Amino acid sequence: MAPTILIAGATGNTGQAVVETLPKLLQSSKALSDHRIIALTRSSKSPVAQRLAKVPGVEVIEKNWIDITSNWLREHQVTRAFIAPHNNPNAFAEESTFHIAALNAGVKYVVRISTTAANVRADSPAYYARTHWAVEALLSSPEFTNLQWTSLQPNVFSAFYLSSAVEFIKQYRKTGTQGDLKLMASKDAPVGVIDSSDVGVFAAHLLSQEDPSVHNKAKYVLNGPEDVTGQQIVDLVEHYIGTQVEAEKVSYQDTSFVDQLWEYQYAAANESKNVIFSVKHALVTGWEGKCSISTTSREVLEIAAPKITLAEVLRGLLEE
């Protein structure tokens, strides 16, 4: 069996671009051209999984990454891995278990997805940002010296940032009436929102490095190619509906999506409402102007600079 690069969460936001980009990069690598790629998915029958299974050099396996053990990693000769962990309250327990398994199995290098850099700190009010801080602290400990790693700290994803705008436009096209345009953005603060595909492409470039040691323990900040304000999103919406958005229909710094997450996802699971509602605090750093493209890591721009603009993402979402 050939040495393997594992893509955990292959059908997710960032994982798809990793799977689509990595095989081409390996073809031109002297040291890694013999490596195979395993893409994990919870359902091999999903349309995305079936599409990825057609990518040359990729083997799709149905398995939840939270069930991975050291023995499984050894059996599949995994030497490098990509992981995009979930943000549920038990994320630290499950992701740290994955890294322990990787360490004990002799995996050499892991690229993981973190969250907005300004929030990754021990005192972050948002629970999931503290989780990412804790995972990075774990990996930085002396006990993990034999496992090289890089943590990617991308800004908020474009599709999520635009979700209300997409719904507003589609409703207007269908009914001719304006609903509520609830934007998590502030009106004027610049935020370097990024398309998830750009994050996956950068991750693939790291995984294809013949010697990843230069990126060991690095925490790279990723933003899109341009800063965006809430007002600019309103301008985009007006372009698509052909008229002005009524002022009373727009609400900036809106966090009602967290209420919906609680009601439809977490309440029935008996999660702590106090913990889930802490997500509302994650947007504050953006409103304070701390998440602009000026924070992008130099290495990101040099290796695989993000290219997809917010306007391109919006056009794609409306065509779906």
Side-chain angles (χ1 to χ4, degrees):
M1 185 181 296
T4 298
I5 299 177
L6 175 68
I7 312 300
T11 57
N13 290 330
T14 55
Q16 294 180 52
V18 179
V19 176
E20 293 167 343
T21 306
L22 186 57
K24 301 175 184 176
L25 297 175
L26 295 186
Q27 288 176 2
S28 59
S29 171
K30 295 180 180 179
L32 303 173
S33 59
D34 63 335
H35 283 54
R36 64 178 187 149
I37 300 171
I38 288 181
L40 288 192
T41 178
R42 285 178 292 179
S43 174
S44 59
K45 296 180 180 179
S46 72
V48 175
Q50 292 181 353
R51 174 171 56 81
L52 295 179
K54 297 178 182 177
V55 177
V58 174
E59 178 185 359
V60 173
I61 293 180
E62 187 171 286
K63 187 176 183 67
N64 194 331
W65 66 262
I66 67 174
D67 297 324
I68 286 177
T69 63
S70 295
N71 286 338
W72 189 92
L73 292 169
R74 291 192 197 97
E75 289 170 3
H76 291 82
Q77 296 188 24
V78 175
T79 61
R80 300 184 181 193
F82 166 85
I83 179 171
H86 59 72
N87 283 330
N88 293 332
N90 64 340
F92 179 81
E94 295 189 334
E95 188 185 351
S96 62
T97 298
F98 174 87
H99 293 305
I100 290 289
L103 176 68
N104 292 333
V107 174
K108 300 301 181 183
Y109 182 51
V110 172
V111 176
R112 67 176 297 273
I113 301 297
S114 180
T115 191
T116 306
N119 291 331
V120 184
R121 60 183 199 271
D123 66 342
S124 175
Y127 80 87
Y128 73 90
R130 293 195 305 275
T131 293
H132 286 293
W133 171 84
V135 171
E136 293 175 354
L138 174 92
L139 293 171
S140 299
S141 66
E143 292 83 356
F144 277 83
T145 299
N146 292 333
L147 178 63
Q148 298 186 64
W149 59 276
T150 304
S151 193
L152 307 187
Q153 299 178 334
N155 213 326
V156 61
F157 288 158
S158 305
F160 179 53
Y161 214 58
L162 286 172
S163 56
S164 177
V166 172
E167 181 181 350
F168 181 94
I169 294 169
K170 288 184 175 180
Q171 178 181 325
Y172 182 82
R173 286 176 169 178
K174 184 178 181 179
T175 67
T177 59
Q178 297 188 15
D180 295 322
L181 182 55
K182 300 179 179 180
L183 301 177
M184 59 188 75
S186 72
K187 183 176 182 179
D188 300 313
V191 176
V193 294
I194 186 168
D195 186 74
S196 57
S197 295
D198 277 337
V199 179
V201 168
F202 180 72
H205 277 78
L206 291 183
L207 290 167
S208 67
Q209 298 287 306
E210 294 191 3
D211 180 11
S213 60
V214 67
H215 304 292
N216 185 31
K217 298 183 180 179
K219 304 169 188 176
Y220 292 142
V221 180
L222 293 92
N223 295 291
E226 60 185 0
D227 281 326
V228 177
T229 66
Q231 181 61 59
Q232 288 174 311
I233 296 176
V234 173
D235 293 342
L236 279 173
V237 170
E238 291 179 341
H239 169 75
Y240 276 98
I241 66 173
T243 188
Q244 287 189 331
V245 177
E246 298 168 17
E248 65 273 15
K249 297 293 185 179
V250 182
S251 58
Y252 297 103
Q253 300 183 4
D254 188 276
T255 60
S256 59
F257 70 93
V258 180
D259 300 74
Q260 295 176 358
L261 279 175
W262 165 254
E263 181 178 357
Y264 295 108
Q265 182 175 344
Y266 291 111
N270 295 317
E271 297 286 0
S272 165
K273 186 175 183 179
N274 190 37
V275 169
I276 301 304
F277 272 51
S278 72
V279 173
K280 295 186 177 186
H281 298 287
L283 297 171
V284 174
T285 50
W287 302 338
E288 293 174 339
K290 297 177 180 178
C291 302
S292 71
I293 61 172
S294 65
T295 63
T296 305
S297 296
R298 171 182 54 81
E299 294 83 354
V300 174
L301 299 176
E302 292 176 347
I303 295 173
K307 300 177 180 179
I308 304 173
T309 67
L310 197 75
E312 290 172 329
V313 173
L314 179 56
R315 183 168 61 249
L317 292 171
L318 292 172
E319 291 173 353
E320 290 181 351

